[in-house]
Amino acid sequence: MSEEILTFTTEYLDECADLAVEVFNGEPSNQHWTRETARRRLLEMVNTPGFVGFVWRKKETLGFVVGNCEQWEDCQPPKE
């Protein structure tokens, strides 16, 4: 099976929550996530306006990235 980069959907929520717990509870972060808290946080991200996410897979989930696009000021230079 080849590697794939897929759009993050709720289909991958549990696998990504498990991966987040493994990564963020270990060194150097030493945080205290459970599968349920990680799952809820990812679901919050999915439901954020402008959500963008991708999952890297090869038989299983190897990694993921999530974020959101936000509106910022219009950076057009002033007219002279």
Side-chain angles (χ1 to χ4, degrees):
M1 174 182 247
S2 62
E3 293 179 10
E4 301 176 288
I5 296 178
L6 306 165
T7 300
F8 189 113
T9 65
T10 55
E11 174 184 353
Y12 305 111
L13 201 57
D14 290 331
E15 288 181 32
C16 290
D18 290 341
L19 184 57
V21 168
E22 180 182 337
V23 170
F24 290 110
N25 287 358
E27 293 290 336
S29 298
N30 296 316
Q31 296 177 10
H32 305 286
W33 292 93
T34 65
R35 182 184 206 208
E36 186 55 33
T37 58
R39 190 179 191 287
R40 281 197 312 256
R41 178 64 182 121
L42 289 172
L43 194 55
E44 287 174 355
M45 292 292 298
V46 168
N47 291 318
T48 299
F51 171 77
V52 179
F54 299 97
V55 177
W56 175 33
R57 292 183 53 84
K58 184 176 181 179
K59 294 185 184 176
E60 63 183 356
T61 297
L62 301 174
F64 67 92
V65 60
V66 293
N68 65 299
C69 299
E70 298 178 351
Q71 179 63 53
W72 288 88
E73 67 178 307
D74 186 358
C75 296
Q76 305 247 343
K79 293 182 181 178
E80 294 184 24

